[in-house]
Amino acid sequence: MLIGARAAGMGYASSCLSDEWAIFNNIGALARLENIKTGFTYDAQPSFAPFNKAAAVVTVPLSIGVAGIGIYRFGDKLYNEQVFSTGFSSTFGLASLGLKVNYIQYNVDGFGRKGVFSVSLGGVAELTPQLFVGAHIVNINQPELSTLDDERLPTLLIAGILFKASDKVILSTELEKDLDYPLTWKTGMECVIQKKFIARTGFNVSPAAGFLGLGFKPRKFTLDYSYQYRFNHGARHQATVGYKFNSQKK
């Protein structure tokens, strides 16, 4: 469940983005954080409210790496999903590796609830100060959702490249493959317009979608907004707020 307005503004080409939302996007990128961070996001689809999402995260740097937890909710009273994620990531030379465990609970009105555990792995390698390569595997264990038709959580394979064109511009592109669906190509760009203001854009191919985003960083806070238009689902809006504490990674 990729989420966070920064990632969304860049078309969710987020394999190499090192921020607090890496707990959901690529756990391997979490290791590069140096401060305790918290964040909350709300993702709304005005045309269909049951598809709205919300999530919150907390990340804590430790002497041996960075730990994080996140909670996520999708749906309404008739059908909803809750996810609790906990993960850890550490740096080994030029690479960082991470492991995440999710508890996912599904609730369907009239049919009860079902809870499963899933495991994800991820990593990011710094090839040069300007070039990063990231990859992660989501739901490695493919937990079973239903014994009647052997329905399981899908496994996703995602790999991407991030290029720092300058101190103010980064470019990111990645490929995502659900084992049961066609390949998705995602590309995004982030540009610092002024020290505290950031613009973002991105696109996806298969399914086709366009993305725009804005960021504002007043001291310890981060405020991000993204607009997404997916041709088969319509528009989505996402707003994220984050806070950075003073404590430094030891």
Side-chain angles (χ1 to χ4, degrees):
M1 66 294 293
L2 302 177
I3 200 163
R6 183 192 182 200
M10 298 176 65
Y12 286 112
S14 55
S15 290
C16 301
L17 293 183
S18 297
D19 58 26
E20 59 271 32
W21 295 100
I23 187 71
F24 286 119
N25 299 332
N26 178 6
I27 186 63
L30 198 69
R32 300 180 185 277
L33 297 185
E34 297 182 346
N35 299 81
I36 297 175
K37 290 188 174 183
T38 63
F40 174 80
T41 194
Y42 190 78
D43 183 336
Q45 183 169 331
S47 62
F48 195 54
F51 277 12
N52 292 353
K53 310 173 188 177
V57 294
V58 178
T59 60
V60 181
L62 305 170
S63 59
I64 57 173
V66 180
I69 59 172
I71 54 174
Y72 166 96
R73 177 182 168 84
F74 165 86
D76 59 7
K77 292 182 179 180
L78 296 178
Y79 173 84
N80 57 76
E81 302 171 11
Q82 284 78 227
V83 181
F84 176 79
S85 299
T86 181
F88 178 81
S89 181
S90 187
T91 301
F92 304 90
L94 298 179
S96 60
L97 300 173
L99 171 70
K100 179 178 68 170
V101 177
N102 299 312
Y103 176 72
I104 308 170
Q105 181 177 274
Y106 298 89
N107 297 293
V108 183
D109 189 42
F111 291 90
R113 65 182 58 181
K114 170 75 173 183
V116 296
F117 286 94
S118 75
V119 177
S120 300
L121 288 172
V124 177
E126 180 181 348
L127 303 184
T128 73
Q130 291 77 38
L131 186 62
F132 296 79
V133 175
H136 53 124
I137 306 174
V138 182
N139 302 326
I140 296 174
N141 57 322
Q142 287 191 314
E144 187 177 70
L145 298 177
S146 172
T147 57
L148 296 178
D149 52 6
D150 195 32
E151 181 183 4
R152 296 176 179 272
L153 272 181
T155 294
L156 304 178
L157 309 176
I158 306 168
I161 298 172
L162 183 145
F163 175 64
K164 291 185 176 181
S166 70
D167 291 338
K168 295 185 177 181
V169 178
I170 62 172
L171 305 171
S172 182
T173 188
E174 69 181 41
L175 297 174
E176 176 183 314
K177 183 67 174 77
D178 184 321
L179 296 184
D180 298 321
Y181 293 94
L183 192 73
T184 297
W185 176 33
K186 301 178 283 186
T187 294
M189 179 178 71
E190 179 178 83
C191 179
V192 179
I193 300 173
Q194 194 271 343
K195 187 176 181 181
K196 295 181 180 180
F197 294 92
I198 302 165
R200 304 180 180 102
T201 188
F203 67 87
N204 288 179
V205 176
S206 186
F211 303 82
L212 293 171
L214 294 172
F216 178 50
K217 293 185 176 182
R219 294 189 179 183
K220 298 179 181 180
F221 282 94
T222 58
L223 304 172
D224 294 299
Y225 165 79
S226 68
Y227 171 83
Q228 168 187 345
Y229 187 82
R230 196 173 292 278
F231 297 97
N232 55 347
H233 291 145
R236 300 194 70 95
H237 304 268
Q238 186 171 174
T240 300
V241 59
Y243 184 80
K244 177 177 68 175
F245 291 85
N246 284 330
S247 58
Q248 297 291 321
K249 185 175 180 179
K250 298 179 179 179

